[in-house]
Amino acid sequence: MAASSSNLPEGVDKEQAFGMAATEMEYRVELFNRLTQTCFNKCVDKRYKESELNMGENSCIDRCVSKYWLVNGIVGQMLSAGRPPM
Amino acid sequence: MAASSSNLPEGVDKEQAFGMAATEMEYRVELFNRLTQTCFNKCVDKRYKESELNMGENSCIDRCVSKYWLVNGIVGQMLSAGRPPM
Amino acid sequence: MAASSSNLPEGVDKEQAFGMAATEMEYRVELFNRLTQTCFNKCVDKRYKESELNMGENSCIDRCVSKYWLVNGIVGQMLSAGRPPM
Amino acid sequence: DGLPEEDKVRMATMIDQLQMRDSLRMYNSVVERCFNDCVDNFSRKSLQKQEETCVMRCAEKFLKHSMRVGMRFAELNQGAATQD
Amino acid sequence: DGLPEEDKVRMATMIDQLQMRDSLRMYNSVVERCFNDCVDNFSRKSLQKQEETCVMRCAEKFLKHSMRVGMRFAELNQGAATQD
Amino acid sequence: DGLPEEDKVRMATMIDQLQMRDSLRMYNSVVERCFNDCVDNFSRKSLQKQEETCVMRCAEKFLKHSMRVGMRFAELNQGAATQD
């Protein structure tokens, strides 16, 4: 992220802080959205015979979220090994 | 959208108004883009034997747009039933 | 892009310049990302028997990037023929 | 907490706007998904009854799914996940 | 209409920029689609003649499609849609 | 070059933030892709050993792929591409 030197005009660092907070939030939202779409594809019957999730779908969803979270962790570790951390 | 109280510094409400206008426009653009991609997938022959849309494709497109619009309305009603309106 | 008349308040043209620079960067990033995803789909074996790219995959990737670039050029020419250039 | 009032307001506004943008995107994605899964016949402009039913079930199912994922996701974010 | 001149200019600038961003995205998506539909052989770096023809037809077809959808979409936005 | 110092700083900040956003998106897309390609069994909450191996190879392969594409892309941007 570089560049947080000291004698800048005051407004700049503040902009940067707001920008980073927005970037961080966007990242989490995107993670959640991809996880949601992916687990729907993997677990939910697309014939839509009813509007409830049945028991099999519900437990598939729980496990899918858990596994997605673990995969996220593994990939995160690999990426942060190669690069400077955020 | 909460928070449009009265004794804020004047700049904030204006920022908010510009932000909401941008969000609204982005929504419409995304709706149009998804509709366009979806109806191309449903209606257009991908062998590309010519560069014109034939009559069958054209009427499929018209009906596809109409149906997508109706689906958009149904889902919108369902969502706004559960939540506070925009 | 219209509207860069002369007697505007000074801040506006500067905002516009920053905005255009950001738009241009986002375009290049998106081009790169789509190219990367597409060529991975076309060239890389998804069974992941090893973590190296083999020789066949590597030369497929090089040619895929080259062809994607050419397709980008063709479509760009067609679009700019119909519309005012950026 | 040490933030000036003006910055707190601005941060809250930003969060509101990101959430609004996010729900609109989710809305768009549900429409696309349910249209794709439920509508395949283009001999008419209007929806057939069973297409309508399919769309409503699809959207409801997706919303329930999304809420369940949200709960599990929140648990994991708080490190409250249990083993197998 | 009651907006000060400065805000009108800013709004117009914002709309210009969103439209520019949108056309660039559309351009990127056409390239990806037509590449995917038309190019499948990677024994050479250059495009074969029939791949080039396919790409040009694909892009032209997509543009015509997009314009047609735009017209229908505008009609629906204005509530001018007719029945079946 | 003629830009005032303040604008240069602002431009650099903008580039930093776009790059940060872009790497996070790339990260999210690798996770989704490798999950999709490697995980298909949901009888347990934890990853099986061969799923884990698959995910790691997938991510590593994607990163190497991405770096190679980056190099070729940069060459083309500089007009340094050779024929066939």
Side-chain angles (χ1 to χ4, degrees):
Chain A
M1 284 305 278
S4 89
S5 71
S6 49
N7 49 3
L8 298 180
E10 205 208 25
V12 171
D13 276 334
K14 195 182 275 185
E15 284 316 304
Q16 209 165 342
F18 277 110
M20 282 193 61
T23 302
E24 165 77 14
M25 272 196 61
E26 281 172 25
Y27 160 70
R28 294 196 165 277
V29 165
E30 198 192 335
L31 169 58
F32 177 77
N33 288 344
R34 286 181 184 260
L35 191 169
T36 305
Q37 303 290 344
T38 301
C39 291
F40 195 86
N41 292 337
K42 296 267 189 191
C43 294
V44 178
D45 182 1
K46 307 300 183 299
R47 281 167 302 167
Y48 306 115
K49 295 201 174 160
E50 43 183 4
S51 55
E52 299 300 316
L53 296 165
N54 62 41
M55 227 184 63
E57 288 169 330
N58 272 330
S59 64
C60 178
I61 292 166
D62 292 351
R63 289 163 186 161
C64 182
V65 174
S66 167
K67 285 189 154 191
Y68 199 98
W69 182 265
L70 294 169
V71 168
N72 193 59
I74 291 176
V75 175
Q77 278 193 326
M78 287 181 58
L79 291 186
S80 63
R83 304 168 184 218
M86 177 169 169
Chain B
M1 283 306 276
S4 88
S5 73
S6 49
N7 49 2
L8 298 179
E10 206 209 24
V12 171
D13 275 336
K14 195 182 275 183
E15 284 316 305
Q16 210 166 341
F18 276 111
M20 283 194 58
T23 302
E24 164 78 14
M25 273 195 61
E26 280 172 26
Y27 160 71
R28 294 196 166 277
V29 164
E30 198 192 335
L31 169 59
F32 177 77
N33 287 345
R34 286 181 184 260
L35 191 169
T36 306
Q37 302 290 344
T38 300
C39 291
F40 195 85
N41 292 336
K42 296 267 190 193
C43 295
V44 178
D45 182 2
K46 307 300 183 299
R47 282 169 301 169
Y48 305 116
K49 294 201 174 160
E50 44 182 4
S51 55
E52 299 301 315
L53 297 165
N54 63 41
M55 228 183 64
E57 289 169 329
N58 273 331
S59 66
C60 179
I61 292 166
D62 291 351
R63 289 163 185 161
C64 182
V65 174
S66 166
K67 285 189 153 194
Y68 199 97
W69 183 265
L70 294 169
V71 169
N72 192 60
I74 292 176
V75 176
Q77 278 192 325
M78 288 182 57
L79 291 187
S80 64
R83 304 166 183 220
M86 177 170 171
Chain C
M1 285 303 279
S4 87
S5 72
S6 49
N7 49 3
L8 299 179
E10 207 208 24
V12 171
D13 275 335
K14 196 183 274 185
E15 284 317 304
Q16 209 166 342
F18 277 110
M20 283 193 59
T23 302
E24 165 78 13
M25 271 195 62
E26 279 172 26
Y27 159 71
R28 293 196 167 277
V29 164
E30 198 192 335
L31 168 59
F32 178 76
N33 288 345
R34 286 181 183 259
L35 191 170
T36 304
Q37 303 289 345
T38 301
C39 291
F40 195 85
N41 292 337
K42 295 267 189 191
C43 294
V44 177
D45 182 2
K46 305 301 183 298
R47 283 168 301 167
Y48 305 116
K49 295 201 174 159
E50 44 182 5
S51 54
E52 298 300 316
L53 298 165
N54 63 41
M55 228 183 65
E57 290 170 329
N58 272 329
S59 65
C60 179
I61 292 166
D62 292 352
R63 287 162 186 160
C64 182
V65 174
S66 166
K67 285 189 153 191
Y68 199 98
W69 182 265
L70 294 169
V71 169
N72 193 60
I74 292 176
V75 175
Q77 278 193 325
M78 287 180 59
L79 292 186
S80 63
R83 303 165 183 221
M86 177 170 171
Chain D
D1 337 295
L3 282 180
E5 193 57 28
E6 194 191 316
D7 288 352
K8 279 190 207 156
V9 172
R10 200 177 143 200
M11 183 63 84
T13 304
M14 190 182 83
I15 291 175
D16 275 354
Q17 289 191 344
L18 289 175
Q19 276 175 346
M20 174 55 62
R21 199 176 66 179
D22 181 46
S23 352
L24 290 173
R25 279 194 191 154
M26 204 268 278
Y27 170 31
N28 268 325
S29 82
V30 175
V31 172
E32 183 181 355
R33 170 184 293 278
C34 296
F35 183 89
N36 266 320
D37 288 354
C38 297
V39 183
D40 257 320
N41 178 313
F42 299 99
S43 55
R44 294 189 156 226
K45 253 183 159 180
S46 51
L47 287 172
Q48 290 169 267
K49 192 65 203 156
Q50 94 270 19
E51 289 172 329
E52 213 175 301
T53 311
C54 178
V55 164
M56 290 176 68
R57 286 181 184 156
C58 168
E60 210 174 320
K61 230 171 166 175
F62 190 88
L63 290 181
K64 283 172 185 158
H65 166 73
S66 176
M67 278 164 47
R68 188 170 189 101
V69 171
M71 278 168 21
R72 295 294 160 263
F73 190 67
E75 286 169 14
L76 289 165
N77 266 304
Q78 293 155 23
T82 54
Q83 286 309 314
D84 254 31
Chain E
D1 338 295
L3 283 179
E5 191 59 27
E6 194 189 316
D7 288 352
K8 279 191 209 155
V9 171
R10 201 177 141 199
M11 185 62 85
T13 303
M14 190 183 82
I15 291 174
D16 275 355
Q17 289 190 346
L18 288 175
Q19 278 175 344
M20 173 56 60
R21 199 175 67 179
D22 181 46
S23 352
L24 289 173
R25 278 193 191 155
M26 205 269 277
Y27 169 31
N28 267 325
S29 81
V30 175
V31 171
E32 182 181 355
R33 171 184 291 277
C34 297
F35 182 88
N36 265 321
D37 289 353
C38 297
V39 182
D40 257 319
N41 177 314
F42 299 100
S43 56
R44 295 189 157 225
K45 255 182 156 179
S46 51
L47 288 171
Q48 290 169 268
K49 191 67 203 155
Q50 97 270 18
E51 289 171 329
E52 212 175 301
T53 312
C54 178
V55 164
M56 290 176 68
R57 285 180 184 157
C58 168
E60 209 173 320
K61 230 171 165 175
F62 190 88
L63 290 181
K64 283 172 186 157
H65 166 72
S66 176
M67 279 164 47
R68 189 170 188 103
V69 171
M71 279 168 20
R72 294 297 160 260
F73 190 68
E75 285 169 13
L76 289 166
N77 266 304
Q78 292 155 23
T82 55
Q83 285 309 315
D84 255 33
Chain F
D1 338 295
L3 282 179
E5 192 58 26
E6 193 190 316
D7 288 354
K8 279 188 207 158
V9 171
R10 201 177 143 200
M11 184 61 86
T13 302
M14 187 182 85
I15 291 175
D16 275 354
Q17 289 190 345
L18 289 175
Q19 278 175 344
M20 173 56 60
R21 198 175 68 180
D22 180 46
S23 349
L24 290 173
R25 278 192 192 156
M26 205 269 276
Y27 170 31
N28 268 325
S29 81
V30 175
V31 171
E32 182 181 356
R33 170 184 292 279
C34 297
F35 182 88
N36 266 321
D37 289 354
C38 297
V39 182
D40 257 319
N41 178 313
F42 298 100
S43 56
R44 298 188 153 224
K45 253 183 158 179
S46 52
L47 287 173
Q48 290 170 267
K49 192 66 204 157
Q50 95 271 17
E51 289 172 328
E52 212 176 301
T53 311
C54 178
V55 164
M56 291 176 68
R57 283 180 186 157
C58 168
E60 209 173 320
K61 229 172 165 174
F62 190 89
L63 290 182
K64 282 171 187 159
H65 166 72
S66 176
M67 278 165 46
R68 189 171 188 103
V69 171
M71 279 169 18
R72 294 296 160 263
F73 190 67
E75 286 169 14
L76 289 165
N77 266 304
Q78 293 156 21
T82 53
Q83 286 310 314
D84 255 34

PDB file of all heavy atoms in Angstrom, chain D residues 63-81:
ATOM      1  N   LEU D  63     -33.495 -16.834  -1.114  1.00  0.00           N
ATOM      2  CA  LEU D  63     -33.446 -15.953   0.057  1.00  0.00           C
ATOM      3  C   LEU D  63     -33.203 -16.742   1.335  1.00  0.00           C
ATOM      4  O   LEU D  63     -32.385 -16.351   2.175  1.00  0.00           O
ATOM      5  CB  LEU D  63     -34.740 -15.158   0.181  1.00  0.00           C
ATOM      6  CG  LEU D  63     -34.929 -14.097  -0.885  1.00  0.00           C
ATOM      7  CD1 LEU D  63     -36.230 -13.355  -0.660  1.00  0.00           C
ATOM      8  CD2 LEU D  63     -33.752 -13.117  -0.882  1.00  0.00           C
ATOM      9  N   LYS D  64     -33.901 -17.862   1.480  1.00  0.00           N
ATOM     10  CA  LYS D  64     -33.685 -18.683   2.672  1.00  0.00           C
ATOM     11  C   LYS D  64     -32.255 -19.213   2.710  1.00  0.00           C
ATOM     12  O   LYS D  64     -31.609 -19.219   3.767  1.00  0.00           O
ATOM     13  CB  LYS D  64     -34.688 -19.849   2.689  1.00  0.00           C
ATOM     14  CG  LYS D  64     -36.072 -19.399   3.114  1.00  0.00           C
ATOM     15  CD  LYS D  64     -37.122 -20.475   2.955  1.00  0.00           C
ATOM     16  CE  LYS D  64     -38.513 -19.912   3.273  1.00  0.00           C
ATOM     17  NZ  LYS D  64     -39.594 -20.716   2.653  1.00  0.00           N
ATOM     18  N   HIS D  65     -31.799 -19.657   1.558  1.00  0.00           N
ATOM     19  CA  HIS D  65     -30.411 -20.117   1.459  1.00  0.00           C
ATOM     20  C   HIS D  65     -29.449 -19.006   1.878  1.00  0.00           C
ATOM     21  O   HIS D  65     -28.537 -19.219   2.675  1.00  0.00           O
ATOM     22  CB  HIS D  65     -30.139 -20.548   0.019  1.00  0.00           C
ATOM     23  CG  HIS D  65     -28.707 -20.724  -0.321  1.00  0.00           C
ATOM     24  ND1 HIS D  65     -27.950 -21.785   0.139  1.00  0.00           N
ATOM     25  CD2 HIS D  65     -27.852 -19.965  -1.039  1.00  0.00           C
ATOM     26  CE1 HIS D  65     -26.721 -21.682  -0.309  1.00  0.00           C
ATOM     27  NE2 HIS D  65     -26.631 -20.578  -1.019  1.00  0.00           N
ATOM     28  N   SER D  66     -29.685 -17.829   1.334  1.00  0.00           N
ATOM     29  CA  SER D  66     -28.792 -16.704   1.597  1.00  0.00           C
ATOM     30  C   SER D  66     -28.767 -16.350   3.091  1.00  0.00           C
ATOM     31  O   SER D  66     -27.708 -16.030   3.660  1.00  0.00           O
ATOM     32  CB  SER D  66     -29.264 -15.524   0.759  1.00  0.00           C
ATOM     33  OG  SER D  66     -28.508 -14.385   1.026  1.00  0.00           O
ATOM     34  N   MET D  67     -29.929 -16.419   3.742  1.00  0.00           N
ATOM     35  CA  MET D  67     -29.961 -16.125   5.185  1.00  0.00           C
ATOM     36  C   MET D  67     -29.214 -17.186   5.988  1.00  0.00           C
ATOM     37  O   MET D  67     -28.495 -16.878   6.929  1.00  0.00           O
ATOM     38  CB  MET D  67     -31.406 -16.038   5.668  1.00  0.00           C
ATOM     39  CG  MET D  67     -32.023 -14.669   5.390  1.00  0.00           C
ATOM     40  SD  MET D  67     -33.834 -14.695   5.532  1.00  0.00           S
ATOM     41  CE  MET D  67     -34.036 -15.566   7.083  1.00  0.00           C
ATOM     42  N   ARG D  68     -29.385 -18.443   5.585  1.00  0.00           N
ATOM     43  CA  ARG D  68     -28.663 -19.516   6.284  1.00  0.00           C
ATOM     44  C   ARG D  68     -27.148 -19.344   6.109  1.00  0.00           C
ATOM     45  O   ARG D  68     -26.392 -19.454   7.074  1.00  0.00           O
ATOM     46  CB  ARG D  68     -29.111 -20.880   5.742  1.00  0.00           C
ATOM     47  CG  ARG D  68     -28.557 -22.029   6.559  1.00  0.00           C
ATOM     48  CD  ARG D  68     -29.159 -23.375   6.197  1.00  0.00           C
ATOM     49  NE  ARG D  68     -28.738 -24.387   7.151  1.00  0.00           N
ATOM     50  CZ  ARG D  68     -29.489 -24.834   8.154  1.00  0.00           C
ATOM     51  NH1 ARG D  68     -30.710 -24.399   8.300  1.00  0.00           N
ATOM     52  NH2 ARG D  68     -29.007 -25.736   8.999  1.00  0.00           N
ATOM     53  N   VAL D  69     -26.727 -19.083   4.875  1.00  0.00           N
ATOM     54  CA  VAL D  69     -25.296 -18.859   4.634  1.00  0.00           C
ATOM     55  C   VAL D  69     -24.804 -17.689   5.485  1.00  0.00           C
ATOM     56  O   VAL D  69     -23.725 -17.746   6.081  1.00  0.00           O
ATOM     57  CB  VAL D  69     -25.025 -18.596   3.136  1.00  0.00           C
ATOM     58  CG1 VAL D  69     -23.600 -18.144   2.912  1.00  0.00           C
ATOM     59  CG2 VAL D  69     -25.307 -19.846   2.307  1.00  0.00           C
ATOM     60  N   GLY D  70     -25.604 -16.642   5.557  1.00  0.00           N
ATOM     61  CA  GLY D  70     -25.220 -15.477   6.362  1.00  0.00           C
ATOM     62  C   GLY D  70     -24.987 -15.830   7.824  1.00  0.00           C
ATOM     63  O   GLY D  70     -24.020 -15.367   8.437  1.00  0.00           O
ATOM     64  N   MET D  71     -25.856 -16.668   8.384  1.00  0.00           N
ATOM     65  CA  MET D  71     -25.673 -17.079   9.779  1.00  0.00           C
ATOM     66  C   MET D  71     -24.399 -17.891   9.966  1.00  0.00           C
ATOM     67  O   MET D  71     -23.610 -17.642  10.873  1.00  0.00           O
ATOM     68  CB  MET D  71     -26.867 -17.924  10.233  1.00  0.00           C
ATOM     69  CG  MET D  71     -28.073 -17.087  10.659  1.00  0.00           C
ATOM     70  SD  MET D  71     -29.595 -18.103  10.851  1.00  0.00           S
ATOM     71  CE  MET D  71     -28.965 -19.762  11.072  1.00  0.00           C
ATOM     72  N   ARG D  72     -24.178 -18.857   9.097  1.00  0.00           N
ATOM     73  CA  ARG D  72     -22.976 -19.693   9.196  1.00  0.00           C
ATOM     74  C   ARG D  72     -21.713 -18.861   9.010  1.00  0.00           C
ATOM     75  O   ARG D  72     -20.715 -19.043   9.700  1.00  0.00           O
ATOM     76  CB  ARG D  72     -22.994 -20.803   8.133  1.00  0.00           C
ATOM     77  CG  ARG D  72     -24.079 -21.813   8.300  1.00  0.00           C
ATOM     78  CD  ARG D  72     -23.919 -22.636   9.566  1.00  0.00           C
ATOM     79  NE  ARG D  72     -25.178 -23.266   9.952  1.00  0.00           N
ATOM     80  CZ  ARG D  72     -26.021 -22.753  10.859  1.00  0.00           C
ATOM     81  NH1 ARG D  72     -25.748 -21.639  11.490  1.00  0.00           N
ATOM     82  NH2 ARG D  72     -27.134 -23.372  11.165  1.00  0.00           N
ATOM     83  N   PHE D  73     -21.789 -17.959   8.069  1.00  0.00           N
ATOM     84  CA  PHE D  73     -20.654 -17.085   7.758  1.00  0.00           C
ATOM     85  C   PHE D  73     -20.302 -16.217   8.955  1.00  0.00           C
ATOM     86  O   PHE D  73     -19.128 -16.043   9.309  1.00  0.00           O
ATOM     87  CB  PHE D  73     -21.036 -16.220   6.553  1.00  0.00           C
ATOM     88  CG  PHE D  73     -19.915 -15.439   5.945  1.00  0.00           C
ATOM     89  CD1 PHE D  73     -18.865 -16.080   5.302  1.00  0.00           C
ATOM     90  CD2 PHE D  73     -19.910 -14.041   5.985  1.00  0.00           C
ATOM     91  CE1 PHE D  73     -17.829 -15.349   4.713  1.00  0.00           C
ATOM     92  CE2 PHE D  73     -18.891 -13.309   5.401  1.00  0.00           C
ATOM     93  CZ  PHE D  73     -17.850 -13.959   4.764  1.00  0.00           C
ATOM     94  N   ALA D  74     -21.337 -15.698   9.602  1.00  0.00           N
ATOM     95  CA  ALA D  74     -21.101 -14.858  10.783  1.00  0.00           C
ATOM     96  C   ALA D  74     -20.456 -15.669  11.903  1.00  0.00           C
ATOM     97  O   ALA D  74     -19.514 -15.211  12.557  1.00  0.00           O
ATOM     98  CB  ALA D  74     -22.417 -14.244  11.258  1.00  0.00           C
ATOM     99  N   GLU D  75     -20.925 -16.891  12.097  1.00  0.00           N
ATOM    100  CA  GLU D  75     -20.318 -17.755  13.110  1.00  0.00           C
ATOM    101  C   GLU D  75     -18.835 -17.973  12.836  1.00  0.00           C
ATOM    102  O   GLU D  75     -18.006 -17.881  13.739  1.00  0.00           O
ATOM    103  CB  GLU D  75     -21.021 -19.121  13.127  1.00  0.00           C
ATOM    104  CG  GLU D  75     -22.407 -19.117  13.767  1.00  0.00           C
ATOM    105  CD  GLU D  75     -23.150 -20.423  13.507  1.00  0.00           C
ATOM    106  OE1 GLU D  75     -22.494 -21.399  13.068  1.00  0.00           O
ATOM    107  OE2 GLU D  75     -24.370 -20.453  13.730  1.00  0.00           O
ATOM    108  N   LEU D  76     -18.523 -18.260  11.577  1.00  0.00           N
ATOM    109  CA  LEU D  76     -17.120 -18.512  11.236  1.00  0.00           C
ATOM    110  C   LEU D  76     -16.284 -17.260  11.429  1.00  0.00           C
ATOM    111  O   LEU D  76     -15.151 -17.315  11.906  1.00  0.00           O
ATOM    112  CB  LEU D  76     -17.017 -19.005   9.793  1.00  0.00           C
ATOM    113  CG  LEU D  76     -17.543 -20.422   9.567  1.00  0.00           C
ATOM    114  CD1 LEU D  76     -17.739 -20.703   8.087  1.00  0.00           C
ATOM    115  CD2 LEU D  76     -16.561 -21.445  10.160  1.00  0.00           C
ATOM    116  N   ASN D  77     -16.842 -16.120  11.074  1.00  0.00           N
ATOM    117  CA  ASN D  77     -16.125 -14.859  11.274  1.00  0.00           C
ATOM    118  C   ASN D  77     -15.823 -14.611  12.746  1.00  0.00           C
ATOM    119  O   ASN D  77     -14.838 -13.971  13.089  1.00  0.00           O
ATOM    120  CB  ASN D  77     -16.950 -13.693  10.728  1.00  0.00           C
ATOM    121  CG  ASN D  77     -16.572 -13.342   9.310  1.00  0.00           C
ATOM    122  OD1 ASN D  77     -15.414 -13.067   9.029  1.00  0.00           O
ATOM    123  ND2 ASN D  77     -17.545 -13.373   8.405  1.00  0.00           N
ATOM    124  N   GLN D  78     -16.687 -15.133  13.631  1.00  0.00           N
ATOM    125  CA  GLN D  78     -16.446 -14.956  15.065  1.00  0.00           C
ATOM    126  C   GLN D  78     -15.677 -16.124  15.673  1.00  0.00           C
ATOM    127  O   GLN D  78     -15.523 -16.220  16.882  1.00  0.00           O
ATOM    128  CB  GLN D  78     -17.772 -14.803  15.806  1.00  0.00           C
ATOM    129  CG  GLN D  78     -18.489 -13.513  15.450  1.00  0.00           C
ATOM    130  CD  GLN D  78     -19.980 -13.651  15.681  1.00  0.00           C
ATOM    131  OE1 GLN D  78     -20.419 -14.483  16.463  1.00  0.00           O
ATOM    132  NE2 GLN D  78     -20.759 -12.809  15.014  1.00  0.00           N
ATOM    133  N   GLY D  79     -15.196 -17.022  14.805  1.00  0.00           N
ATOM    134  CA  GLY D  79     -14.421 -18.146  15.310  1.00  0.00           C
ATOM    135  C   GLY D  79     -15.238 -19.108  16.152  1.00  0.00           C
ATOM    136  O   GLY D  79     -14.696 -19.883  16.927  1.00  0.00           O
ATOM    137  N   ALA D  80     -16.571 -19.092  15.966  1.00  0.00           N
ATOM    138  CA  ALA D  80     -17.429 -19.939  16.787  1.00  0.00           C
ATOM    139  C   ALA D  80     -17.732 -21.276  16.138  1.00  0.00           C
ATOM    140  O   ALA D  80     -18.646 -21.986  16.538  1.00  0.00           O
ATOM    141  CB  ALA D  80     -18.733 -19.215  17.096  1.00  0.00           C
ATOM    142  N   ALA D  81     -16.959 -21.639  15.113  1.00  0.00           N
ATOM    143  CA  ALA D  81     -17.270 -22.868  14.390  1.00  0.00           C
ATOM    144  C   ALA D  81     -16.915 -24.101  15.211  1.00  0.00           C
ATOM    145  O   ALA D  81     -15.884 -24.148  15.877  1.00  0.00           O
ATOM    146  CB  ALA D  81     -16.507 -22.898  13.080  1.00  0.00           C
TER     147      ALA D  81
END
